[in-house]
Amino acid sequence: MEKFLNAYIERMRPVFSRIPEKTAHVIASAFFSFKFELYPKTLRECATALLQVPDGGGSEALKKALAIIQSYAEARENAQVEPDHVVPFTDAEHAYLAVNLPTDRIEDPDTLELDNALLLLYAVAVIASPDDEQALDEHRTYVITMLGTYKRALGIP
């Protein structure tokens, strides 16, 4: 899954290398705060990042990813496992996601949306936030493990 992740990041590099470092750092912070269950911080970081993401290719997918993370953080802060409703990525936004599966292979659509949102935040942070490089590298196993849950559905041996 390491190769899969590397290929995904490289595929996203031309799209998201234009993200300002300051914004990418906030995105990295949103990723980490969600991972560590610091939901009030996640809510603040997502709100800040949503205001800072510049227009351009992939921006809508990135904003949707931030909104998905934000909705999960809000739900979990309110002692819910997941939000009442998750706004899914559109067909056009799927081009920017790591895991794209045929409908019949999706066991839990909401979890897939959340995982894709986290994967996109991680990739953008890796691409555009050099200050977070070491911390992101230290949490790469978490991302690889997340991707591993889709290995069979993706048809990866």
Side-chain angles (χ1 to χ4, degrees), residues 30 33-34 37-44 46 66-83 114:
S33 62
F34 188 85
E37 301 177 6
L38 303 170
Y39 302 124
K41 182 173 175 64
T42 305
L43 291 168
R44 286 190 308 273
C46 286
L66 288 161
I68 289 169
I69 301 297
Q70 191 175 39
S71 67
Y72 270 88
E74 185 175 354
R76 291 179 181 176
E77 184 63 14
N78 293 320
Q80 294 177 257
V81 175
E82 59 186 37
L114 175 61

Side-chain angles (χ1 to χ4, degrees), residues 99-121:
V99 180
N100 285 295
L101 298 172
T103 308
D104 63 332
R105 288 196 171 182
I106 299 172
E107 293 179 28
D108 182 352
D110 291 344
T111 299
L112 178 60
E113 297 296 317
L114 175 61
D115 289 348
N116 267 323
L118 287 166
L119 290 163
L120 182 54
L121 265 58

Side-chain angles (χ1 to χ4, degrees), residues 2-17 123-124 126-127 140:
E2 182 81 32
K3 288 180 184 177
F4 184 89
L5 178 59
N6 288 338
Y8 173 62
I9 291 169
E10 290 312 308
R11 187 167 50 95
M12 294 299 105
R13 190 172 301 280
V15 178
F16 294 108
S17 59
V124 170
V126 166
I127 291 164
R140 196 170 178 91

